[in-house]
Amino acid sequence: MKNFNIKAVLFLNYFVFAILLNSVGTVILQMQQNFGITKSSASVLEGFKDLPIAICSFILASFLPKIGIKNSMLIGLFLVSCMCFVMPFANDFWFFKLLFTIVGISFALIKISVFTSIGLVTDTDKEHSSFMGYLEGFFMIGVLMGNVLFSLFIDDHNPRSTHWLNVYWVLAGLSTLSFLFLFFTKLNESEVKSEKTDLWGDLKNSISLFSYKKVLFFLLCAFLFVLVEQSFQTWTPTFYKEILKVPTSMSIQAGAVLAGAFALGRFLSGFFSKKFSWIYVVSFCVIGFAISILLVLPLTHNTQIDINTTWLNAPLVVYLFPLMGGLLAPIYPSINSVILASIPKYLHSAMAGLIVVFSAIGGTIGSIITGFVFQEFSGQQAFYLSLIPLSLLIVSAIIMNKLKINPKN
């Protein structure tokens, strides 16, 4: 397979950060049980993760190719490896704020580098879209495995137990392995470098992206999608624990089922993107997900689940809720691939930076709003709110599809 080694590296890097980034839902649940942190207070962990992603992406995007794509990924992996070796000794909430800050900074380096690298290892727009779908699907496999991994370290009989922190020894080893694998892999970065410009020229190239209407509507789509996605991913464990009343380990495993549904949806998007126009895929998914919310959430009211419930004897709604993620999953890789394939490769780093910035802001706002509504009203009402951004998302995507990248648009 062409470019097999570097493609494998991109998959492995995404896998590592999928576990770290999306452990925030598990950590929020454990913070409530270990340290008595309220939902609204715990929700700020999303901000400690996403705001550094947004800030660093904005700062680094325009000149990351000059730092070097490979060097940037190595820096990110080194930082998280060091932090993971510290976390088994964490005994206060601030450790987790620092953890997600480091993870956010590192992911900014990784994601911009990965998105920029895709154009180097693919030759056509359809191949780009397909690889993006498979890559995002593998990211969700990482989320799934991360939830399963964390659940194995949870003590259901002692909610205040901190034994689960030992999972970070495993994550430290995995991130170190990824660092070594990348260190010995070669990557030709010449195509993404614009030798004709200096740093100021790169910044102007980045700013110029805002002059295109298609880019503006894309950024709105990315913001709205991640606002919805992150709300579900972050608060599903708490929803299962407090609304459906299942054991803690099973609540975290529900996050794994949700991630599995996302992974399947994104792998399928890699296939369907070769067969259908992206706008048909996105429209089908948005409408399907909205309908599933209206059908599934009412089933979660007044659900009687015994404390000894397992996946073998759980009510149907326990399975249906996370499976909705399969419909939401294909949207993100589809819109990302479309915009990246529309611009020159030397602008991919700048565009990837904007993607990460607006995604991070959307994730933070979505998680905080969901946490507040969950605490003040109910988990069901918190998730019903997603119908508003979903409506705006499909309208923005339709408008984006009609626009072209040219000086007038």
Side-chain angles (χ1 to χ4, degrees), residues 28 43 45 49 78 125 156 161 175 216 253 255 335 337 349:
I28 283 176
S43 71
L45 285 179
K49 170 174 67 76
F78 176 77
D125 290 355
D156 284 326
S161 171
S175 55
L216 295 177
Q253 289 163 6
I335 60 175
S337 180
S349 175

Side-chain angles (χ1 to χ4, degrees), residues 182-246:
L182 174 60
F183 185 81
F184 292 106
T185 302
K186 294 182 179 180
L187 174 63
N188 182 359
E189 306 178 23
S190 57
E191 285 189 79
V192 299
K193 293 183 178 179
S194 180
E195 303 294 344
K196 298 179 181 180
T197 62
D198 53 14
L199 177 57
W200 176 242
D202 291 335
L203 287 171
K204 289 198 293 185
N205 284 334
S206 298
I207 295 171
S208 70
L209 289 170
F210 288 102
S211 66
Y212 303 125
K213 291 181 181 179
K214 184 166 186 172
V215 169
L216 295 177
F217 277 97
F218 160 75
L219 293 175
L220 179 58
C221 287
F223 169 84
L224 293 169
F225 170 80
V226 179
L227 187 149
V228 174
E229 178 197 45
Q230 207 62 53
S231 297
F232 275 82
Q233 287 188 349
T234 300
W235 290 98
T236 287
T238 300
F239 185 87
Y240 267 68
K241 178 67 177 176
E242 298 197 2
I243 303 300
L244 298 181
K245 309 295 184 183
V246 302

Side-chain angles (χ1 to χ4, degrees), residues 182-392:
L182 174 60
F183 185 81
F184 292 106
T185 302
K186 294 182 179 180
L187 174 63
N188 182 359
E189 306 178 23
S190 57
E191 285 189 79
V192 299
K193 293 183 178 179
S194 180
E195 303 294 344
K196 298 179 181 180
T197 62
D198 53 14
L199 177 57
W200 176 242
D202 291 335
L203 287 171
K204 289 198 293 185
N205 284 334
S206 298
I207 295 171
S208 70
L209 289 170
F210 288 102
S211 66
Y212 303 125
K213 291 181 181 179
K214 184 166 186 172
V215 169
L216 295 177
F217 277 97
F218 160 75
L219 293 175
L220 179 58
C221 287
F223 169 84
L224 293 169
F225 170 80
V226 179
L227 187 149
V228 174
E229 178 197 45
Q230 207 62 53
S231 297
F232 275 82
Q233 287 188 349
T234 300
W235 290 98
T236 287
T238 300
F239 185 87
Y240 267 68
K241 178 67 177 176
E242 298 197 2
I243 303 300
L244 298 181
K245 309 295 184 183
V246 302
T248 301
S249 59
M250 191 173 170
S251 299
I252 295 171
Q253 289 163 6
V257 178
L258 177 65
F262 263 90
L264 177 61
R266 287 186 174 169
F267 282 130
L268 289 175
S269 78
F271 171 77
F272 286 115
S273 62
K274 293 182 178 180
K275 306 291 183 181
F276 303 98
S277 171
W278 72 274
I279 190 61
Y280 294 127
V281 174
V282 169
S283 298
F284 174 84
C285 290
V286 172
I287 294 172
F289 186 73
I291 292 173
S292 68
I293 288 174
L294 295 173
L295 293 178
V296 174
L297 280 182
L299 300 178
T300 65
H301 289 279
N302 302 317
T303 302
Q304 299 297 322
I305 297 180
D306 188 84
I307 193 171
N308 296 316
T309 296
T310 68
W311 289 105
L312 297 177
N313 58 9
L316 181 62
V317 67
V318 172
Y319 302 96
L320 289 179
F321 184 80
L323 291 179
M324 296 190 301
L327 287 168
L328 196 62
I331 299 171
Y332 196 58
S334 296
I335 60 175
N336 284 342
S337 180
V338 167
I339 201 67
L340 287 170
S342 301
I343 61 177
K345 290 182 179 180
Y346 72 88
L347 287 175
H348 281 198
S349 175
M351 189 69 248
L354 293 179
I355 291 172
V356 178
V357 168
F358 280 80
S359 298
I361 295 172
T364 298
I365 293 175
S367 180
I368 291 175
I369 291 175
T370 303
F372 175 78
V373 177
F374 200 135
Q375 179 173 297
E376 299 299 325
F377 299 96
S378 71
Q380 288 91 346
Q381 289 186 357
F383 288 135
Y384 276 128
L385 279 178
S386 64
L387 293 172
I388 297 174
L390 284 172
S391 301
L392 297 174

Side-chain angles (χ1 to χ4, degrees), residues 166-182:
N166 289 314
V167 74
Y168 287 103
W169 291 119
V170 179
L171 297 179
L174 188 59
S175 55
T176 301
L177 178 64
S178 186
F179 176 92
L180 294 173
F181 192 12
L182 174 60

